[in-house]
Amino acid sequence: MYNKGIYTPIQVGKAISEYDLGIIGDDTGDNISQKNPSYCELTAQYWAWKNVDCRYIGLCHYRRYFETVYTDELLERLFSKYDVILPRPIYSGVRDTMLNKLKMNIVPEDYAIFFMSIRKLYPEYEKTTLQYLARNADIPYNMFIMRKEAFNQFCQWQFSILEECEKHVKPLPYSRYNRIYGYFAEYLLPIYCLHNQMKIHHDGIVNMIGEHEKRQSWIRKQLSALFCQSPASSFDDIIGTSVLVGMKNDGIL
């Protein structure tokens, strides 16, 4: 793990781990460390939100970093122009929209709960969400850097949606599906930034600081353009009648 300068390693899920890595854990103060199997890196994000006082804050992974080595001085310069730093978008084929990606990773009842939670708490975000789902540009990994004040506002918004989802989502026996809130968060971060018209600086992603971003193949480069299908008119069009009826029968609705 990279730990020079302003980079600080943190052990996630420490409250339920049999190991102590000898670094800061996400299990002190106000925390959700025990939710790590379903919240993934968000347990570190939540801990930082509740327990860290600083001017700028960001999140990367033990095997994913921003390509740029950030310093206090560089952040001061960048944030005189931008509101947030996010990963460079990954463009896929014109039919591989963000909605299709969500459908591949999440069962219909769960993404229905996701959509309805957004609508219940923040109905003004429905249009932006539908527009993002219709794109072929993925801004992945739950990675960002932003001012702490903006971060606090974002976390309040994001975790309130995830907590609403938790009230209704039924556990599944497969570990991939149980990472559900981490998947949801990958959508919520760019949706929030786009909806609030934040000025975004995009950076490449590497496996370790000091490496260079792996360039796409020639064919991949030909797809590196934004494509947007006509967005659905509402969440109901995406969910479908049969799913809604089933959820009523299950007592979810």
Side-chain angles (χ1 to χ4, degrees):
M1 295 175 291
Y2 191 81
N3 62 352
K4 297 179 182 178
I6 62 176
Y7 293 79
T8 304
I10 178 170
Q11 181 177 347
V12 297
K14 189 174 181 181
I16 55 174
S17 175
E18 60 182 300
Y19 301 104
D20 185 348
L21 301 182
I23 57 178
I24 293 173
D26 64 352
D27 60 337
T28 62
D30 188 349
N31 73 86
I32 56 170
S33 180
Q34 73 282 357
K35 294 185 179 182
N36 183 256
S38 58
Y39 271 71
C40 308
E41 64 278 349
L42 294 182
T43 60
Q45 181 183 317
Y46 184 95
W47 180 87
W49 172 34
K50 295 295 187 178
N51 299 284
V52 175
D53 184 21
C54 57
R55 186 167 184 182
Y56 304 107
I57 194 156
L59 181 69
C60 55
H61 304 257
Y62 69 94
R63 58 191 175 93
R64 292 193 189 104
Y65 298 83
F66 286 112
E67 184 174 20
T68 302
V69 180
Y70 288 101
T71 63
D72 287 323
E73 295 76 15
L74 177 56
L75 291 177
E76 289 285 352
R77 292 200 302 270
L78 284 172
F79 281 101
S80 67
K81 300 178 182 179
Y82 301 100
D83 300 314
V84 62
I85 299 169
L86 296 178
R88 188 172 295 147
I90 298 174
Y91 297 97
S92 55
V94 295
R95 295 184 180 180
D96 296 327
T97 63
M98 295 306 298
L99 176 58
N100 289 337
K101 178 188 175 185
L102 185 66
K103 288 182 175 181
M104 275 189 358
N105 290 304
I106 306 292
V107 298
E109 288 77 7
D110 286 350
Y111 64 69
I113 291 169
F114 179 54
F115 295 150
M116 288 187 286
S117 296
I118 294 174
R119 175 187 283 169
K120 175 182 177 180
L121 298 178
Y122 305 100
E124 68 275 17
Y125 278 80
E126 180 167 353
K127 182 178 179 180
T128 308
T129 303
L130 293 169
Q131 290 172 341
Y132 184 70
L133 292 171
R135 293 163 39 135
N136 72 326
D138 187 5
I139 303 176
Y141 307 137
N142 293 326
M143 292 174 57
F144 61 87
I145 307 173
M146 60 180 78
R147 295 180 183 89
K148 184 58 160 58
E149 181 179 358
F151 172 73
N152 291 343
Q153 295 170 354
F154 164 64
C155 286
Q156 180 62 50
W157 176 86
Q158 182 188 54
F159 283 103
S160 65
I161 293 172
L162 298 178
E163 288 167 5
E164 181 65 26
C165 291
E166 274 195 280
K167 297 175 184 177
H168 309 287
V169 168
K170 297 182 181 297
L172 292 171
Y174 306 110
S175 59
R176 181 173 72 89
Y177 283 127
N178 286 330
R179 294 167 58 88
I180 181 172
Y181 304 109
Y183 288 136
F184 286 164
E186 283 197 78
Y187 282 73
L188 290 174
L189 174 59
I191 287 169
Y192 181 87
C193 295
L194 294 169
H195 182 85
N196 290 283
Q197 299 181 340
M198 299 175 76
K199 296 178 181 178
I200 302 171
H201 174 73
H202 292 286
D203 196 1
I205 302 298
V206 295
N207 292 327
M208 175 52 69
I209 293 288
E211 295 181 357
H212 293 292
E213 184 183 28
K214 294 180 181 179
R215 302 304 174 188
Q216 297 174 334
S217 67
W218 182 85
I219 296 176
R220 193 75 168 171
K221 287 180 180 178
Q222 308 314 304
L223 300 174
S224 296
L226 176 64
F227 173 83
C228 185
Q229 294 182 350
S230 297
S233 58
S234 74
F235 289 148
D236 297 329
D237 293 339
I238 297 174
I239 297 170
T241 303
S242 62
V243 174
L244 292 172
V245 170
M247 292 172 72
K248 289 180 181 178
N249 293 337
D250 291 338
I252 298 174
L253 294 178

